[in-house]
Amino acid sequence: MDAEVTNLLYDRPELYDAVYTGNGGEIPRMCHRLITEHRPRPREQQTILDVGCGTGRDLASLASMGYACTGVDYQPGMIDHARRTHPDIAFHAGDMRTFRLQRTFDVILCLGTALGNMHTNQDLAKALATFAAHARPDTLLILDTINAAAAVQGHVLPHEFRIDTDTITAQAEATYSIDHRRQLLTRHRAWTLPGRPPVADFVRFRLLFPLELQYHLAQHSFETLAVSDSPAFDDSDLRSGLHLYVAARHTGTCLGCVNLTADLGC
């Protein structure tokens, strides 16, 4: 993870859902649709692991659909907030490169561009090894990340952000730059809050192209089933949407782990 990351919404997780509204539950509905399509013969109650679960909002929606849910996030503040807000769901603080829950799941999620925090191929491999360590044959993996093909064009990147709650009103302007050699997108935001000095935050995201991501998944025995730049998974040239959505199935022993240390193996 990037030690330089500063984010107002990580420090104030209760504001996160006010900025990222979730489009009325669009992402949990997408997950339910993909699970129904690709795991048509479910066990009695399907289990879900959400890596990078944030405030737990999406998991709460999926739990209401009957799934048994577990969430993990790198930010302890997010986990504390999720536990308070959704006490019936199990949440753990952990680094997606290293955590191990010593169990497997029917479905693994990594949403909200959390995978973009893996800036190097080595860190990406460790994260995918974590997914494989919690998978069994036929486990479904659903993830999204920044769509490199769209991001490099620039026009899909959001530049205005707003918080409007009973306790705070704030707005931010975002600027971006791309390190093409390292495939990193950097976002700087400056939040304006009434009566307070501006608050700056900063984050980097790894940019991944579809075939590149498919290759990394295959190294950990995840077979790519579908790729889209829309939660609807409709036909697309993969150049229009900011997010790249992927559904993949784990097929067995993780091939990529032979190059990792034993404690990171599958």
Side-chain angles (χ1 to χ4, degrees):
M1 302 292 182
D2 194 330
E4 299 178 42
V5 166
T6 57
N7 192 319
L8 172 66
L9 304 181
Y10 293 163
D11 297 335
R12 298 283 302 277
E14 73 277 8
L15 303 177
Y16 190 92
D17 290 341
V19 174
Y20 301 106
T21 60
N23 294 325
E26 180 181 43
I27 297 303
R29 289 196 302 272
M30 175 195 76
C31 293
H32 178 64
R33 187 172 63 251
L34 290 170
I35 295 167
T36 301
E37 178 179 355
H38 295 293
R39 289 189 59 85
R41 296 180 297 277
R43 302 188 319 163
E44 184 173 331
Q45 183 183 40
Q46 297 209 69
T47 56
I48 293 179
L49 171 64
D50 187 359
V51 182
C53 64
T55 63
R57 178 183 61 196
D58 289 344
L59 269 189
S61 294
L62 289 163
S64 72
M65 299 177 192
Y67 296 102
C69 297
T70 300
V72 177
D73 199 274
Y74 183 72
Q75 302 290 338
M78 286 286 195
I79 290 298
D80 290 343
H81 176 80
R83 286 170 174 161
R84 291 193 303 270
T85 309
H86 309 293
D88 295 332
I89 298 176
F91 291 102
H92 307 269
D95 186 326
M96 73 170 70
R97 296 168 296 189
T98 57
F99 82 84
R100 295 294 185 270
L101 300 183
Q102 310 304 321
R103 58 171 295 198
T104 59
F105 294 81
D106 298 308
V107 181
I108 298 172
L109 310 178
C110 187
L111 304 169
T113 68
L115 194 65
N117 291 304
M118 302 294 101
H119 295 166
T120 67
N121 287 339
Q122 291 80 6
D123 282 345
L124 182 59
K126 292 175 182 178
L128 294 177
T130 293
F131 300 164
H134 295 87
R136 61 176 71 94
D138 206 37
T139 288
L140 181 66
L141 171 65
I142 303 171
L143 60 84
D144 79 62
T145 189
I146 297 291
N147 180 10
V152 295
Q153 299 178 74
H155 66 273
V156 299
L157 298 172
H159 289 271
E160 296 183 358
F161 297 82
R162 183 171 179 81
I163 301 170
D164 192 358
T165 71
D166 293 338
T167 59
I168 185 172
T169 299
Q171 56 188 14
E173 293 287 335
T175 59
Y176 298 88
S177 61
I178 295 179
D179 181 337
H180 291 85
R181 182 177 296 277
R182 294 193 293 161
Q183 294 182 212
L184 294 178
L185 173 71
T186 298
R187 184 191 69 203
H188 289 272
R189 275 190 313 210
W191 288 96
T192 302
L193 296 88
R196 294 177 55 185
V199 177
D201 69 21
F202 159 90
V203 69
R204 288 192 183 102
F205 300 102
R206 169 70 181 269
L207 298 178
L208 291 164
F209 290 87
L211 282 179
E212 177 186 16
L213 181 54
Q214 185 173 337
Y215 170 82
H216 286 290
L217 287 169
Q219 293 303 297
H220 294 82
S221 292
F222 285 102
E223 174 194 7
T224 299
L225 304 173
V227 181
S228 181
D229 60 354
S230 163
F233 275 80
D234 46 14
D235 290 337
S236 170
D237 59 7
L238 301 183
R239 296 178 58 192
S240 303
L242 177 59
H243 293 254
L244 199 63
Y245 300 92
V246 179
R249 178 184 292 115
H250 198 259
T251 60
T253 304
C254 174
L255 301 177
C257 290
V258 295
N259 295 321
L260 299 177
T261 56
D263 62 323
L264 294 176
C266 296

